[in-house]
């Protein structure tokens, strides 16, 4: 019996037939990888901008924070995609600074802690997260399609406000925010994505997001909506300096608040790992999930040494994998290399930063919508017959939409509660997991026909009726016809039909 060809990547034997192990060549890999960078660039620089401003840093120091976040995001992406023993899921996942910790870090700064206290809290909490990853890696059986499909759907929906904000201009304080020009540019970018996806070759279709961003930027430049004047301002090359902002300070209260953020990050990253596994059609077992989470935590532990923060998988790039169909993890690795270079070459980062936010918004509508559509596709495989799965999906999606529809919903709750449930992704994931355990694992007490909603999904045909159907009988235009095409009369009583 012939053996399946195998190869070794990062000291782990892998099956060469896994879709994520496809190699596209250096040129194609870097082209698609650059598309990933453009997709997440706005998100990865937003956190250092917010935290840097809250810390009262100068523009030069904020620039160093951004460079550090790009640099560490690239290294974390390489670890996640290529992998070494016990670290890295070897999946096409882009890593970057997590949004989950922004509110907590700003709260620490407002409390007088300073950046060294933020960095100390991130380091300590990430070490704790690293120690508890074996627990998270064992819960994969609690993530069936009814859970993963729900979470993937909410991931896409929760990113829609981000796309809308980008389309409006990104800066709510700018006089042009929400202008017809900004939204028109986003709409033009969206139209280009759709046009290239329809009329282009397979290669052009896969690169439609990147090409639309380039064309959109050119259009913006023509109409004076892009500003490249700052590209030449600042150093061309600069290596992130360790402890530039001082040695970490370990404050117990700050660490406890950051541990909550780490728990949220672990839940979100677990969802992203399972989501991308489902999208590309590859197996994600408990070991692989654990390796991915450990890569997240070790990257988050090291990041503060260079001036960065907690690392996690970027949901918007999961959408890019879905919309392009490019499943290769080496494409994302190429994106990781680009991120490292952007961190070392601030001038390149300034070029990418010059891409108008409205252009990103137009592309983001397709990307984030694709994530939601992937979740719906997963939910279509769920069995809703004589069970509570429909209630699980309905309640979890509704629960996940609360912080999206009403961002101030949890403002009166304790800060630790708000930190966890302010994320629609975390809210939906927690609710879906708990309800799945309650109804599908703890079945004691479940009624035979659990609810009117579950009963409503149970369409059936009795054996008696099925026996009455002769060979060739079929439905056409809502009518039952026989093999000769003659309509069979349908009556109210089954006995009359006999």
């Amino acid at each position: 019996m012939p053996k399946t060809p195998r190869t070794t990547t990062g000291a782990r034997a892998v099956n060469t037939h896994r879709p994520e192990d496809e190699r596209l060549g250096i040129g194609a890999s870097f082209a698609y990888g650059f598309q990933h960078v453009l997709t997440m660039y706005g998100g990865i620089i937003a956190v250092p901008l917010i935290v840097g401003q809250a810390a009262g840093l100068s523009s030069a120091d904020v620039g160093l924070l951004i460079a550090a976040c790009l640099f560490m995001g690239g290294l974390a992406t390489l670890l996640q995609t290529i992998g070494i023993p016990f670290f890295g899921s070897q999946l096409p996942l882009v890593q970057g600074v997590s949004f989950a910790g922004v509110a907590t870090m700003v709260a620490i700064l407002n409390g007088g802690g300073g950046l060294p206290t933020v960095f100390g809290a991130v380091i300590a909490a990430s070490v704790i997260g690293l120690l508890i990853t074996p627990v998270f890696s064992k819960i994969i059986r609690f993530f069936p399609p009814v859970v993963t499909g729900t979470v993937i759907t909410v991931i896409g929906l929760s990113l829609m406000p981000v796309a809308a904000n980008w389309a409006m201009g990104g800066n709510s304080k700018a006089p042009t925010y929400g202008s017809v020009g900004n939204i028109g540019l986003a709409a033009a970018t969206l139209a280009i994505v759709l046009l290239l996806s329809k009329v282009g070759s397979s290669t052009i279709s896969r690169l439609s997001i990147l090409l639309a961003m380039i064309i959109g930027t050119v259009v913006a430049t023509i109409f004076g909506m892009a500003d490249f004047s700052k590209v030449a301002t600042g150093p061309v090359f600069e290596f992130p300096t360790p402890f530039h902002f001082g040695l970490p300070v370990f404050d117990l209260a700050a660490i406890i608040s950051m541990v909550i953020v780490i728990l949220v990050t672990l839940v979100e990253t677990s969802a992203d790992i399972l989501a991308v596994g489902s999208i590309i059609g590859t197996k994600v077992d408990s070991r692989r999930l654990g390796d991915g989470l450990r890569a997240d935590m070790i990257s988050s532990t090291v990041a503060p040494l260079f001036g960065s923060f907690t690392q996690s998988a970027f949901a918007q790039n999961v959408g890019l994998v879905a919309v392009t169909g490019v499943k290769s993890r080496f494409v994302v690795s190429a994106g990781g290399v680009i991120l490292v270079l952007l961190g070392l070459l601030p001038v390149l980062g300034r070029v990418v930063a010059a891409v108008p936010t409205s252009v990103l918004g137009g592309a983001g509508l397709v990307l984030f919508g694709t994530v939601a559509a992937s979740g719906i596709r997963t939910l279509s495989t769920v069995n809703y017959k004589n069970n509570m799965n429909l209630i699980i999906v309905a309640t979890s999606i509704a629960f996940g939409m609360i912080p999206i529809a009403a961002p101030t919903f949890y403002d009166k709750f304790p800060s630790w509660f708000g930190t966890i449930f302010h994320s629609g992704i975390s809210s939906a994931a927690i609710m879906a997991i708990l309800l799945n355990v309650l109804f599908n694992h703890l079945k004691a007490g479940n009624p035979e026909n659990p609810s009117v909603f579950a009963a409503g999904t149970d369409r059936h045909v009795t054996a008696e009726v099925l026996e009455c159907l002769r060979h060739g009988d079929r439905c056409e235009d809502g009518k039952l016809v026989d093999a000769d095409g003659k309509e069979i009369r349908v009556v109210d009583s089954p006995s009359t039909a006999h």
Side-chain angles (χ1 to χ4, degrees):
M1 182 176 177
K3 295 182 178 179
T4 302
R6 301 179 74 85
T7 185
T8 300
T9 303
R12 182 196 298 172
V14 296
N15 192 325
T16 56
H17 293 296
R18 296 190 313 181
E20 65 270 27
D21 292 333
E22 180 185 6
R23 295 177 182 271
L24 303 181
I26 295 178
S29 293
F30 274 92
Y32 292 129
F34 187 58
Q35 205 170 208
H36 274 287
V37 172
L38 285 176
T39 301
M40 55 88 72
Y41 191 85
I44 199 172
I45 68 172
V47 176
L49 281 172
I50 295 170
V51 175
Q53 290 171 1
L57 299 182
S58 65
S59 59
D61 279 341
V62 170
L64 291 178
L65 274 184
I66 293 175
C69 289
L70 292 169
F71 179 74
M72 281 307 308
L75 293 182
T77 299
L78 290 171
L79 178 62
Q80 188 71 270
T81 55
I82 296 176
I84 60 176
F86 306 109
F87 296 95
S89 63
Q90 294 189 339
L91 287 168
L93 285 167
V94 177
Q95 301 288 114
V97 181
S98 171
F99 270 96
V102 172
T104 299
M105 290 187 289
V106 171
I108 293 172
L109 292 169
N110 291 338
L115 273 181
T117 304
V118 170
F119 292 141
V122 171
I123 292 172
S126 299
V127 170
I128 294 172
L130 183 62
L131 294 176
I132 65 175
T133 49
V135 176
F136 274 80
S137 64
K138 298 299 182 183
I139 65 172
I140 191 170
R141 69 189 183 95
F142 297 114
F143 284 86
V146 69
V147 173
T148 57
T150 298
V151 174
I152 296 168
T153 301
V154 174
I155 287 174
L157 295 177
S158 68
L159 289 170
M160 283 303 166
V162 177
N165 180 58
W166 285 351
M168 297 173 73
N171 182 6
S172 60
K173 296 180 180 179
T176 57
Y177 184 74
S179 66
V180 174
N182 281 340
I183 296 177
L185 180 59
T189 304
L190 172 62
I192 295 170
V193 172
L194 299 177
L195 182 64
L196 293 178
S197 298
K198 177 176 176 60
V199 303
S201 64
S202 59
T203 301
I204 291 177
S205 180
R206 287 184 169 189
L207 286 171
S208 60
I209 301 294
L210 173 60
L211 294 175
M213 288 182 178
I214 294 173
I215 296 172
T217 302
V218 171
V219 171
T221 303
I222 294 173
F223 286 95
M225 298 175 66
D227 182 12
F228 291 91
S229 62
K230 297 180 180 179
V231 170
T233 303
V236 175
F237 177 91
E238 189 169 9
F239 190 88
T241 305
F243 306 117
H244 174 80
F245 299 97
L247 294 175
V249 173
F250 299 96
D251 177 78
L252 182 59
I255 292 171
I256 292 174
S257 63
M258 193 58 66
V259 166
I260 298 173
V261 172
I262 289 297
L263 293 176
V264 172
T265 301
L266 286 171
V267 172
E268 291 187 345
T269 299
S270 296
D272 287 334
I273 290 174
L274 293 168
V276 80
S278 173
I279 288 170
I280 69 175
T282 194
K283 181 180 178 182
V284 177
D285 54 19
S286 59
R287 175 187 172 184
R288 206 168 188 188
L289 180 60
D291 289 352
L293 294 177
R294 279 188 288 273
D296 234 20
M297 292 299 99
I298 197 66
S299 299
S300 298
T301 302
V302 175
L305 305 182
F306 292 94
S308 187
F309 311 103
T310 51
Q311 304 290 305
S312 69
F314 267 51
Q316 53 261 53
N317 291 87
V318 175
L320 184 59
V321 172
V323 77
T324 63
V326 179
K327 305 174 181 179
S328 172
R329 60 191 172 98
F330 300 110
V331 162
V332 179
S333 298
V337 172
I338 294 172
L339 284 173
V340 171
L341 291 176
L342 288 174
L344 295 175
L345 299 171
V347 63
L348 295 181
R350 293 192 292 272
V351 171
V352 178
V355 174
T357 310
S358 296
V359 171
L360 297 177
L365 288 173
V366 179
L367 295 175
F368 305 157
T370 303
V371 177
S374 297
I376 294 171
R377 182 176 60 188
T378 300
L379 289 174
S380 70
T381 67
V382 175
N383 176 24
Y384 297 99
K385 181 179 179 180
N386 289 332
N387 55 44
M388 294 291 286
N389 282 339
L390 190 65
I391 298 300
I392 295 172
V393 174
T395 306
S396 301
I397 290 180
F399 200 65
M401 289 301 294
I402 287 175
I404 302 170
T408 61
F409 191 84
Y410 297 113
D411 281 3
K412 302 298 183 181
F413 284 71
S415 58
W416 64 267
F417 190 93
T419 300
I420 296 173
F421 290 100
H422 187 70
S423 166
I425 300 171
S426 297
S427 297
I430 292 171
M431 182 61 73
I433 293 168
L434 292 178
L435 292 181
N436 178 58
V437 171
L438 178 63
F439 292 122
N440 292 333
H441 290 271
L442 304 176
K443 294 186 177 181
N446 284 4
E448 184 176 343
N449 192 9
S451 78
V452 64
F453 300 105
T457 64
D458 182 19
R459 297 185 61 194
H460 64 274
V461 176
T462 64
E464 184 181 18
V465 172
L466 187 62
E467 289 176 0
C468 294
L469 295 177
R470 298 173 180 173
H471 181 68
D473 291 352
R474 62 192 182 276
C475 284
E476 288 185 359
D477 299 325
K479 300 177 181 180
L480 183 64
V481 298
D482 62 17
D484 297 324
K486 297 180 180 179
E487 182 179 352
I488 301 173
R489 190 162 57 96
V490 178
V491 295
D492 294 334
S493 172
S495 60
T496 305
H498 291 181

